[in-house]
Amino acid sequence: MKHVLAVLVEDKPGVLVRVAGLFARRGFNIESLAVGRTQDPGISRMTIEVEADERTLEQVEKQLHKLINVLKISNLTVEPSVHRELLLIKVKATAATRAEIQHIVETFRAKVVDVALNSLIIEVTGNEEKLQAIQLLLAPYGILEVVRTGKIALLRGAKTTKNGEEQKNGKNVL
């Protein structure tokens, strides 16, 4: 089963290498990885998607907790959450096919971000199924290049603490 982990880490050189190395040493393939700064200076967030059974995932989480720069790990697979990826796709486009391609783009609520004489670059955000679907529909026109980000995810709504205070991103909201 695929699992999505949100890992808060100190924003220091070498942290990404240590986390990725942990997965490599255990023979796990990271399906998707996205890293970026958070609203807190000095803290970054890794969103990692990995294929693993429950027992194996538990071991990975325990090993991640042992890494000195790892601050918090959340398994977003078991929580209500929103998952998204970004796809940029360059498609052959002639004067005769541009209207058809534009119709597909509008249907998927995507947007054309670059127009050239013989091609279009299209930006699409969504879940994995949406990105695969638009890629499948654009394939007959001739896909020239494709690039995707890693998956990013956030828990839905606000969490509450044991004493009923609302929390957002791990901090109490007054």
Side-chain angles (χ1 to χ4, degrees), residues 3-5 7 18-30 48-67 70 73 75:
H3 296 273
V4 178
L5 301 175
V7 183
R18 283 191 287 283
V19 170
L22 180 141
F23 282 86
R25 282 190 305 276
R26 293 186 175 42
F28 300 125
N29 184 39
I30 295 175
I48 304 168
E49 183 177 43
V50 64
E51 179 90 25
D53 60 35
E54 292 296 326
R55 185 176 158 272
T56 304
L57 183 69
E58 185 179 326
Q59 290 302 311
V60 167
E61 288 180 13
K62 286 178 182 177
Q63 294 298 314
L64 280 170
H65 275 293
K66 290 180 182 180
L67 295 178
V70 172
I73 302 166
N75 186 344

Side-chain angles (χ1 to χ4, degrees), residues 11-131:
D11 188 10
K12 293 188 176 178
V15 174
L16 175 60
V17 171
R18 283 191 287 283
V19 170
L22 180 141
F23 282 86
R25 282 190 305 276
R26 293 186 175 42
F28 300 125
N29 184 39
I30 295 175
E31 301 281 330
S32 172
L33 173 66
V35 183
R37 291 187 180 123
T38 66
Q39 74 280 6
D40 295 326
I43 297 177
S44 290
R45 178 187 170 114
M46 297 181 178
T47 305
I48 304 168
E49 183 177 43
V50 64
E51 179 90 25
D53 60 35
E54 292 296 326
R55 185 176 158 272
T56 304
L57 183 69
E58 185 179 326
Q59 290 302 311
V60 167
E61 288 180 13
K62 286 178 182 177
Q63 294 298 314
L64 280 170
H65 275 293
K66 290 180 182 180
L67 295 178
I68 194 160
N69 301 113
V70 172
L71 304 172
K72 182 179 179 184
I73 302 166
S74 301
N75 186 344
L76 301 182
T77 311
V78 297
E79 301 281 344
S81 52
V82 176
H83 301 243
R84 293 290 182 267
E85 291 182 61
L86 169 70
L87 169 75
L88 291 177
I89 184 167
K90 188 186 294 185
V91 180
K92 287 183 191 176
T94 64
T97 60
R98 284 185 195 272
E100 295 170 21
I101 294 170
Q102 185 62 39
H103 180 68
I104 293 169
V105 168
E106 290 169 3
T107 301
F108 281 84
R109 294 187 182 152
K111 61 182 172 181
V112 174
V113 293
D114 184 68
V115 178
L117 192 58
N118 295 315
S119 66
L120 299 171
I121 297 178
I122 299 158
E123 174 186 301
V124 191
T125 58
N127 61 26
E128 192 172 342
E129 292 79 18
K130 179 180 178 179
L131 301 186

